[in-house]
């Protein structure tokens, strides 16, 4: 199967998701309250927007890198990619929910954290499943040893472990959750983005 349609469809969905994030950036005028104060009181909205914006950016970069080294796709890859997009399109909703309840404390804050964290974990699991299927189906554009495949899956799918840990910490302190995503974003913009840079010259190297 041709991968171009999958990439084009995925790019369009991610573009819509990242645009929807901005729709929650608004200030409701309060009579007698300075605009600067109103903006400050909306900090969870802006902070959650920034984190989610860069997370979707990481998803887009990783998706591009992943399918750059894919020779093609099969039905299983298409299904895993649809699962990924399911979680991507839920990011704007969980971002808005987190922003509304993160500072509220109590059960509402914990539920908002769990919703946000579940979407992030689901997104990471979906990515790992796509890579695993490409490897299993022989659609990865390099021949790797079983040990290399395991190492690649771990490095690429480290979010499967990290995102649930961040969620658990967020259940104890919801606002700090966003700070914990910053190094993860840095990883996927840096070392994580280079995990798939496996050229033919390295393919048969033990």
């Amino acid at each position: 199967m041709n991968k171009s349609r999958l990439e084009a469809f995925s790019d369009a969905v991610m573009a819509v998701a990242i645009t929807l994030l901005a729709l929650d950036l608004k200030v409701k005028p309060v009579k007698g309250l300075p605009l600067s104060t109103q903006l400050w009181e909306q900090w969870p909205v802006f902070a959650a927007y920034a984190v989610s914006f860069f997370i979707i950016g990481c998803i887009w970069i990783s998706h591009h890198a992943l399918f750059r080294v894919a020779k093609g796709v099969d039905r299983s890859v298409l299904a895993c990619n649809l699962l990924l997009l399911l979680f991507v399109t839920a990011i704007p909703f969980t971002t808005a929910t987190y922003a509304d309840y993160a500072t509220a404390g109590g059960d509402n804050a914990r539920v908002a954290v769990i919703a946000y964290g579940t979407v992030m974990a689901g997104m990471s699991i979906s990515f790992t499943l796509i890579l695993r299927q490409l490897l299993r189906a022989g659609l990865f554009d390099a021949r790797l040893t079983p040990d290399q495949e395991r190492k690649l899956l771990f490095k690429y799918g480290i979010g499967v472990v990290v995102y649930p840990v961040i969620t658990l910490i967020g259940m104890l302190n919801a606002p700090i959750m966003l700070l914990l995503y910053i190094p993860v974003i840095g990883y996927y913009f840096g070392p994580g983005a280079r995990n798939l840079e496996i050229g033919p010259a390295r393919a048969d190297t033990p």
Side-chain angles (χ1 to χ4, degrees):
M1 296 183 184
N2 192 301
K3 63 180 182 177
S4 298
R5 291 186 64 188
L6 178 148
E7 292 179 284
F9 177 66
S10 300
D11 284 350
V13 171
M14 291 182 210
V16 171
I18 210 167
T19 302
L20 288 175
L21 285 174
L23 297 181
D24 286 306
L25 297 179
K26 54 183 178 291
V27 177
K28 298 177 182 178
V30 178
K31 188 175 181 179
L33 195 64
L35 178 59
S36 58
T37 302
Q38 295 178 54
L39 290 172
W40 172 250
E41 290 180 350
Q42 292 290 318
W43 74 262
V45 175
F46 298 116
Y49 165 80
V51 169
S52 293
F53 179 92
F54 285 108
I55 285 177
I56 295 178
C58 287
I59 295 171
W60 181 75
I61 290 172
S62 296
H63 195 271
H64 173 73
L66 181 58
F67 284 96
R68 184 177 59 82
V69 295
K71 294 185 291 187
V73 297
D74 60 12
R75 290 185 181 275
S76 295
V77 172
L78 291 176
C80 292
N81 192 73
L82 277 176
L83 183 62
L84 169 66
L85 297 180
L86 169 70
F87 290 110
V88 170
T89 53
I91 291 177
F93 165 72
T94 55
T95 299
T97 304
Y98 173 89
D100 287 339
Y101 292 98
T103 58
D107 289 339
N108 287 341
R110 283 190 287 272
V111 171
V113 164
I114 291 171
Y116 192 85
T118 298
V119 166
M120 295 304 160
M123 173 270 297
S124 184
I125 291 171
S126 303
F127 254 128
T128 306
L129 288 175
I130 294 172
L131 175 57
R132 182 173 178 270
Q133 181 57 30
L134 289 173
L135 292 168
R136 288 183 64 183
L139 296 170
F140 196 78
D141 195 20
R143 294 188 302 276
L144 306 179
T145 65
D147 185 57
Q148 285 177 315
E149 289 186 4
R150 284 192 295 271
K151 289 181 179 178
L152 179 59
L153 282 167
F154 174 77
K155 290 179 180 179
Y156 190 73
I158 195 169
V160 174
V161 176
V162 173
Y163 288 130
V165 171
I166 292 176
T167 302
L168 289 174
I169 296 173
M171 291 175 66
L172 301 175
N173 188 324
I176 203 172
M177 183 184 192
L178 293 181
L179 293 176
L180 298 178
Y181 279 113
I182 294 175
V184 179
I185 292 170
Y187 171 77
Y188 279 108
F189 267 113
R194 295 191 292 270
N195 285 330
L196 295 170
E197 294 178 359
I198 302 175
R202 292 178 54 193
D204 297 319
T205 302

